[in-house]
């Protein structure tokens, strides 16, 4: 019997130990001048027009694809626990809730990045069409590389 409360068919999760202390990782995540430099898959650039990093605050950014396509993204921050957790709801399509957890491990940081999509169909489309799973891996690699330059 299928458990309808299960969300495994519509979620992405990546965990990674970043080679930077949690305060640096937090800064890279929470300051628009930093996040614009590493956000998104490889070869994407970003323009952040608004990043009100407070619970209920809006985050508006445009991801510029390597082919010249612009992808508008609008999110609302839902929960912020300094140096521990960021939760935001992506309200432009595709809809999802992202939860990013930060765990201090000495001079390193364990990051858990979870994305829960509204439906399994939407999740499948996002993974097949936009390769969101690969994009998330690239995003975390770009963050790790960016952190090296921040040290």
């Amino acid at each position: 019997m299928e458990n309808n409360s299960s969300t495994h068919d519509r979620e992405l999760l990546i965990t990674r130990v970043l080679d930077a202390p949690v305060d640096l990782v937090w800064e890279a995540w929470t300051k628009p001048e930093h996040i614009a430099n590493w956000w998104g898959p490889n070869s994407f650039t970003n323009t952040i027009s608004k990043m009100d990093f407070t619970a209920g605050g809006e985050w508006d950014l445009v991801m510029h694809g390597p082919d010249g396509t612009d992808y508008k993204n609008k999110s609302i921050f839902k929960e912020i626990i300094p140096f521990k957790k960021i939760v935001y709801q992506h309200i432009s399509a595709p809809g999802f809730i992202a939860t990013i957890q930060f765990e201090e491990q000495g001079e390193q940081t364990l990051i858990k990045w979870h994305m829960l999509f509204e439906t399994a169909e939407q999740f499948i489309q996002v993974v097949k069409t936009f390769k969101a799973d690969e994009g998330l891996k690239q995003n975390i690699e770009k963050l790790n590389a960016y952190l090296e330059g921040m040290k």
Side-chain angles (χ1 to χ4, degrees), residues 9-71:
D9 62 346
R10 57 188 178 101
E11 62 188 335
L12 275 178
L13 173 65
I14 192 166
T15 58
R16 174 82 189 266
V17 175
L18 301 171
D19 196 22
V22 72
D23 57 336
L24 204 62
V25 177
W26 186 260
E27 186 179 335
W29 253 99
T30 59
K31 302 265 191 292
E33 64 269 25
H34 290 308
I35 205 166
N37 289 310
W38 63 264
W39 189 258
N42 293 343
S43 304
F44 277 69
T45 59
N46 303 284
T47 303
I48 297 176
S49 56
K50 184 175 191 178
M51 189 173 175
D52 177 8
F53 192 68
T54 59
E58 287 184 18
W59 181 20
D60 296 326
L61 76 105
V62 178
M63 293 172 52
H64 309 288
D67 63 355
T69 304
D70 285 344
Y71 301 90

Side-chain angles (χ1 to χ4, degrees), residues 16-30 34 82-84 101-111 143-144 146-151:
R16 174 82 189 266
V17 175
L18 301 171
D19 196 22
V22 72
D23 57 336
L24 204 62
V25 177
W26 186 260
E27 186 179 335
W29 253 99
T30 59
H34 290 308
F83 307 103
K84 296 281 186 201
Q101 293 176 285
F102 306 83
E103 187 180 305
E104 184 178 357
Q105 295 189 339
E107 289 300 299
Q108 295 182 314
T109 303
L110 174 66
I111 188 169
L143 170 59
N144 206 33
Y146 185 75
L147 288 164
E148 282 300 310
M150 285 179 71
K151 290 182 186 174

Side-chain angles (χ1 to χ4, degrees), residues 74-147:
K74 184 179 193 77
S75 299
I76 303 290
F77 290 106
K78 300 306 240 176
E79 183 182 9
I80 296 167
I81 302 172
F83 307 103
K84 296 281 186 201
K85 184 160 89 169
I86 299 169
V87 180
Y88 68 87
Q89 183 171 8
H90 191 261
I91 56 176
S92 47
F96 61 84
I97 291 188
T99 303
I100 302 89
Q101 293 176 285
F102 306 83
E103 187 180 305
E104 184 178 357
Q105 295 189 339
E107 289 300 299
Q108 295 182 314
T109 303
L110 174 66
I111 188 169
K112 294 178 185 172
W113 193 333
H114 180 261
M115 297 169 72
L116 178 62
F117 290 84
E118 289 171 352
T119 65
E121 293 75 24
Q122 192 178 55
F123 168 76
I124 290 163
Q125 185 204 357
V126 168
V127 169
K128 282 189 175 162
T129 307
F130 297 111
K131 298 187 175 33
D133 50 346
E134 183 58 34
L136 187 56
K137 285 180 197 155
Q138 291 176 9
N139 211 350
I140 228 165
E141 292 296 333
K142 284 172 67 179
L143 170 59
N144 206 33
Y146 185 75
L147 288 164

